[in-house]
Amino acid sequence: MKRFLAAALFLAAFAAASAQNYPQEWRRYTSDTYYHDIESAASKQAALEQARTNLARQIQVRVSEVSSMDKQAVNGRSSVLYSSQKSFSTDVDMSLAATQSHYNEAQGKHYVLVYIDKQAACTYYENEVKMLISSTDNTLGIAGNYIATGFKQKAKAELQKMLRQFDGAAKPFFWLNVFGFDERLLQQYLNKVHDNEQTAKQWLADLEYGTTYCVVCSADMFGKKYAKLANEVKGELASQGCNFVDNPSEADIVISITASARKYNEAFGAFFTYVDAAVSVDKTATGQRIFEDEVSAKGSHTLGYDDAARDGYKQITKEITKLLKENIKL
């Protein structure tokens, strides 16, 4: 017991003596609110390098502790932090370290203090998190407006760009944990970032089906309905990856086709017809008419006008799908 007391007194006396060799105001940096190290050497540079090395080791110990705790935990926050541990544990962040120096003429030594203010570090990384949340909130608002007004491709571009922002999101959270940030507030930030990321992913998954189309078609063949035209147009467009719905109110784009066949003439044992079609395309969300046009196609057959009209409808299908591909993004 006496030996222990003697050793403790010796260490206290040594620390007090050492403290006299550097400025009194440095003592504030030795509190628990800072990571710090003080070194002395004949060369200021040597003292600085040693102090920075020792400070980095202190933080490395804390990084290892945080990583170990996160590895054992199972909640969402810790799994995120631990997933980034390998990247950050070998790259101790010394960018926030500040230094002060003092030259003791009597000893001919340079004293160097290197320290990191834990609260200042937390504020720095908290601001990064706040900027991420603000930016992603803003992007979700923009993407939501695009979706509501039918600009799904623009919404997808915004959301895809937004998801790339989350690639580096774990870093500030990891360092907030290392520097002792308030756990309750840390969890709130993590929940918010997680929710924004999941919302973006869900919206992208919903948009992955692409723009939905509805073909509203009226086709006449000498007083009879020609029901095949709508299906033939959809068949051509489906090969381009288009998705169709039957209800125009549920579609992003409504394609309206009004077509009719007319007899032209009979010559050299063949019957000739024309099929005329009016085509228009409207964006449901805004009521905007993207384009409208009229096309005609000639049909022929040796068996009669009905067969010639069917041939004309085959030709008009090609003209209509060509027109649609040229004027709307499929």
Side-chain angles (χ1 to χ4, degrees):
M1 184 66 177
K2 289 182 179 180
R3 286 185 178 180
F4 175 79
L5 289 174
L9 290 171
F10 172 78
L11 290 173
F14 177 78
S18 298
Q20 294 175 1
N21 296 321
Y22 55 77
Q24 182 72 18
E25 58 266 25
W26 285 12
R27 295 188 65 181
R28 60 177 291 211
Y29 300 108
T30 63
S31 69
D32 190 50
T33 57
Y34 296 87
Y35 286 117
H36 79 283
D37 190 67
I38 300 172
E39 297 295 332
S40 62
S43 164
K44 180 180 177 180
Q45 184 62 33
L48 175 62
E49 290 177 0
Q50 187 60 50
R52 288 182 64 85
T53 298
N54 289 343
L55 181 61
R57 286 172 179 167
Q58 290 180 42
I59 300 175
Q60 181 69 63
V61 170
R62 175 59 181 160
V63 166
S64 298
E65 291 173 354
V66 169
S67 300
S68 178
M69 288 187 293
D70 289 338
K71 186 175 182 180
Q72 296 172 24
V74 295
N75 62 68
R77 184 203 72 191
S78 293
S79 64
V80 169
L81 297 176
Y82 180 68
S83 68
S84 304
Q85 179 267 329
K86 290 183 179 179
S87 299
F88 303 140
S89 64
T90 56
D91 182 24
V92 173
D93 193 344
M94 294 291 288
S95 63
L96 301 178
T99 64
Q100 294 189 34
S101 62
H102 171 72
Y103 181 64
N104 188 312
E105 292 186 7
Q107 294 181 335
K109 285 185 177 181
H110 290 273
Y111 285 81
V112 173
L113 162 69
V114 180
Y115 64 93
I116 293 179
D117 184 334
K118 295 179 183 178
Q119 182 57 50
C122 285
T123 299
Y124 175 83
Y125 287 112
E126 182 183 16
N127 286 337
E128 284 196 359
V129 171
K130 286 180 176 179
M131 285 191 291
L132 173 65
I133 291 173
S134 177
S135 176
T136 53
D137 277 346
N138 184 56
T139 300
L140 286 176
I142 293 171
N145 287 333
Y146 279 144
I147 292 171
T149 53
F151 294 98
K152 292 191 175 183
Q153 292 301 321
K154 289 185 176 181
K156 287 177 67 174
E158 288 289 335
L159 293 170
Q160 288 166 347
K161 182 173 64 177
M162 170 182 162
L163 284 180
R164 290 194 288 272
Q165 290 183 266
F166 293 108
D167 292 343
K171 182 177 180 179
F173 283 112
F174 184 82
W175 287 113
L176 283 173
N177 212 15
V178 167
F179 288 115
F181 190 68
D182 180 75
E183 289 189 9
R184 179 187 60 81
L185 189 53
L186 182 67
Q187 186 64 59
Q188 289 179 9
Y189 284 143
L190 276 162
N191 289 344
K192 177 60 175 174
V193 170
H194 178 267
D195 289 346
N196 282 6
E197 183 177 17
Q198 293 307 306
T199 297
K201 289 180 177 179
Q202 183 59 55
W203 287 5
L204 276 173
D206 294 340
L207 291 168
E208 197 59 36
Y209 293 103
T211 304
T212 54
Y213 297 84
C214 179
V215 176
V216 178
C217 183
S218 173
D220 175 79
M221 190 175 74
F222 312 133
K224 297 177 291 185
K225 288 184 178 180
Y226 185 77
K228 289 185 177 181
L229 179 60
N231 290 332
E232 288 173 349
V233 169
K234 287 195 284 188
E236 289 287 335
L237 297 180
S239 64
Q240 302 294 310
C242 293
N243 300 292
F244 294 95
V245 293
D246 295 326
N247 190 338
S249 64
E250 297 175 356
D252 299 307
I253 300 292
V254 175
I255 300 170
S256 300
I257 304 171
T258 301
S260 61
R262 56 185 170 89
K263 298 176 182 179
Y264 181 59
N265 67 358
E266 177 185 355
F268 307 107
F271 298 86
F272 298 90
T273 63
Y274 273 96
V275 175
D276 306 307
V279 183
S280 62
V281 177
D282 298 283
K283 185 173 291 187
T284 305
T286 61
Q288 174 191 2
R289 175 147 293 185
I290 299 174
F291 89 99
E292 59 183 338
D293 204 348
E294 295 181 355
V295 289
S296 295
K298 189 176 183 180
S300 63
H301 206 283
T302 58
L303 296 181
Y305 282 114
D306 283 357
D307 289 295
R310 292 187 186 94
D311 181 58
Y313 269 111
K314 288 181 181 179
Q315 304 307 317
I316 204 72
T317 297
K318 297 176 183 178
E319 294 297 323
I320 292 172
T321 53
K322 179 182 177 182
L323 197 63
L324 293 173
K325 292 174 184 178
E326 290 175 349
N327 288 278
I328 59 176
K329 188 174 182 180
L330 301 175

